[in-house]
Amino acid sequence: MSSTHPLAGIGVLVTRPQAQAQPLCRLIESAGGRPLAFPTIEICPVADPEPARILLGEDWDLMVFTSRNAVELALALGFDGTWPRVTRLAAIGRATAAALTAAGRAPDLVPPERFDSEALTAMPELAAMAGRRVLIVRGEGGRALLGEVLAGRGARVQFAEVYRRVRPAVDARALVADWPTRVGLAIATSDEVLQNLVEMLGAEGRDLLLATPLVVISERTAATALGLGFRRVRVAERAEDQAIVAALGELAGGAAAFSE
């Protein structure tokens, strides 16, 4: 295994939604790995977008986008991306910030290191929120923490839910049958991605999956993985493709037995 090819022929299961997997797959290939796209979530518009459309067109002191999907699906409702009626924009994560910037307006607030609700609410700019109107743009059933914290500081919080996450209907039997020769490492970028993966592989694939070293992007998902029975879990330093590939490389020595 060389420093320029740290994954050295190891198969890596990429579980991101199909539309978002290609940049990560290319990085895995550049590190010598063999990416295997196996989406465990599909991103779809909500059944009734009108409530979100109305909220997105109102005046807000702060509008928070929780993901790149939230940006893309909000823009798809007919907004130009400059958000002229919003005083401050916030993004959880650099990919989300990049999507906002590309759409016409860079966010005012982005957590500097960890990219989650805890990091955003720790920013000093959000310490005094009494009376502020806040809109959180997210998918259906998103985490409650961000809204709860800001409401606890006196903000008037509402949610614009612009997308829903659906588990794909996929027959995973062929993947399970070929697992020992095809998969040496796996990636899960959220609890839902991980839970869907376990369910999609079924009882026959569970032991194979749990024995596969796993890279995640948050301590929360790491705890979920360990609770499920995963034996080796590594948290990437940041929720970015380069950091995910670096974490894969750190685990690659233990996955060498799975490489061709």
Side-chain angles (χ1 to χ4, degrees):
M1 185 182 304
S2 70
S3 59
T4 55
H5 296 95
L7 297 180
I10 297 171
V12 181
L13 192 72
V14 180
T15 53
R16 274 185 173 166
Q18 185 172 2
Q20 300 170 12
Q22 286 309 305
L24 179 55
C25 287
R26 287 194 292 268
L27 280 177
I28 290 168
E29 288 179 337
S30 70
R34 295 180 289 109
L36 176 59
F38 187 74
T40 65
I41 280 184
E42 293 178 359
I43 303 300
C44 304
V46 293
D48 180 10
E50 197 56 28
R53 193 195 316 273
I54 292 170
L55 289 169
L56 288 163
E58 294 180 0
D59 296 324
W60 299 98
D61 296 305
L62 175 67
M63 185 182 286
V64 182
F65 287 86
T66 62
S67 68
R68 179 172 54 188
N69 292 322
V71 176
E72 294 172 352
L73 272 295
L75 293 173
L77 296 180
F79 295 93
D80 66 4
T82 61
W83 307 109
R85 301 180 67 175
V86 176
T87 304
R88 289 196 296 184
L89 282 182
I92 297 180
R94 293 182 184 174
T96 309
L100 285 170
T101 302
R105 179 174 168 184
D108 305 286
L109 300 174
V110 183
E113 294 182 3
R114 286 180 22 250
F115 303 133
D116 53 23
S117 297
E118 290 86 345
L120 181 64
T121 56
M123 298 184 72
E125 294 89 342
L126 299 185
M129 298 298 296
R132 303 291 177 87
R133 297 191 75 237
V134 176
L135 183 67
I136 298 173
V137 189
R138 66 179 190 178
E140 289 181 348
R143 289 183 74 199
L145 177 70
L146 177 59
E148 290 174 350
V149 171
L150 295 178
R153 296 173 184 175
R156 293 177 288 164
V157 179
Q158 294 197 62
F159 299 92
E161 296 187 332
V162 296
Y163 67 93
R164 55 195 175 95
R165 295 171 288 264
V166 178
R167 190 176 76 197
V170 175
D171 186 342
R173 286 178 293 182
L175 173 62
V176 171
D178 294 340
W179 193 280
T181 58
R182 297 185 70 188
V183 182
L185 296 165
I187 302 166
T189 52
S190 72
D191 279 22
E192 188 172 7
V193 163
L194 183 58
Q195 296 283 5
N196 284 357
L197 177 59
V198 172
E199 293 176 17
M200 290 166 71
L201 294 180
E204 292 183 358
R206 185 182 179 92
D207 288 344
L208 291 168
L209 175 62
L210 296 181
T212 302
L214 177 73
V215 169
V216 300
I217 60 173
S218 72
E219 295 291 347
R220 184 176 68 255
T221 304
T224 298
L226 293 171
L228 288 168
F230 278 85
R231 301 169 197 171
R232 297 188 64 200
V233 180
R234 181 65 56 91
V235 181
E237 288 189 3
R238 300 177 305 281
E240 298 175 353
D241 290 353
Q242 292 85 349
I244 290 171
V245 173
L248 289 169
E250 292 168 1
L251 284 176
F258 292 92
S259 62
E260 292 183 340

